[in-house]
Amino acid sequence: LNNDTADMGVPVAFEFFNSVWWAICGTRIFKNSGQVDDAFSDENIASSQTDYSSDESDLELFNDALYASTTDGVFKKPLGTEPQAWGSSLVTLNTAFIHLLLAFGARLYVTDADTRVYSLDTSDVSTVSNGPPNTNSNALDLIVYGGALKNTITCMKATTTYIWLGTLNRAKGKGRVYYWDG
């Protein structure tokens, strides 16, 4: 990763948005001029978050905007002439958990607390999991399928009809793969 910053940290997410390459590296978000081999620089505008994490954060394109998860929230940068400001947090997330992002259908899904999946609609209204028995539409909590130790979400991918969730079993058993219509 070519950069003009001494220590960018570990790169974990890349997206091409608004004619610019974006990257989450360490605790910051970086951008370049749009060419793959151009240097990246810290986006240091006032609305940029500084609590990204190489272990927890992600980037996703959804609803003509760039969404980024930090250690405790999901933030949105709208399409437009740069520099565009990042909005305030759209959903509050638990710290110390991976926050994967996935666009599927007309919603943006985000993982939280090892077993939960929340979502945002195109108006950025969030639906959070209310825990078992999973009665909120567009939200899920896998804790009902054997407990949190058996269902730590580690990846989330979409096909045309389902979201596939890969889990790790931290109780020394087999991991599981779930499919969900969102």
Side-chain angles (χ1 to χ4, degrees):
L1 189 61
N2 186 12
N3 72 80
D4 63 358
T5 304
D7 183 14
M8 291 177 65
V10 176
V12 294
F14 293 90
E15 285 292 349
F16 189 74
F17 171 73
N18 210 12
S19 300
V20 175
W21 279 103
W22 296 87
I24 293 177
C25 304
T27 61
R28 309 285 298 187
I29 192 162
F30 295 84
K31 64 182 180 176
N32 80 359
S33 66
Q35 298 299 316
V36 176
D37 58 351
D38 285 348
F40 280 77
S41 59
D42 187 357
E43 186 186 45
N44 56 4
I45 62 174
S47 61
S48 288
Q49 301 302 305
T50 58
D51 65 336
Y52 292 99
S53 166
S54 294
D55 295 328
E56 302 169 27
S57 298
D58 201 6
L59 289 170
E60 183 68 85
L61 302 176
F62 174 69
N63 201 26
D64 291 328
L66 178 65
Y67 289 76
S69 60
T70 64
T71 59
D72 60 1
V74 175
F75 296 84
K76 174 184 175 180
K77 179 182 268 289
L79 186 63
T81 304
E82 286 297 330
Q84 283 288 330
W86 289 90
S88 58
S89 183
L90 300 170
V91 62
T92 301
L93 302 172
N94 293 288
T95 59
F97 296 100
I98 190 169
H99 301 124
L100 301 171
L101 298 173
L102 177 72
F104 178 73
R107 301 192 78 81
L108 177 71
Y109 292 85
V110 58
T111 61
D112 190 32
D114 283 343
T115 63
R116 298 179 188 154
V117 183
Y118 307 150
S119 69
L120 297 166
D121 65 15
T122 56
S123 298
D124 295 326
V125 175
S126 65
T127 300
V128 296
S129 170
N130 62 347
N134 293 317
T135 56
N136 283 356
S137 293
N138 306 113
L140 178 68
D141 194 337
L142 293 178
I143 200 165
V144 299
Y145 302 110
L149 284 178
K150 293 184 178 181
N151 289 297
T152 299
I153 298 170
T154 58
C155 62
M156 185 170 55
K157 298 293 179 190
T159 62
T160 54
T161 53
Y162 294 109
I163 296 172
W164 293 84
L165 302 162
T167 65
L168 170 71
N169 185 333
R170 293 182 290 137
K172 299 183 182 174
K174 295 179 181 178
R176 297 178 182 170
V177 176
Y178 297 93
Y179 68 96
W180 176 43
D181 65 3

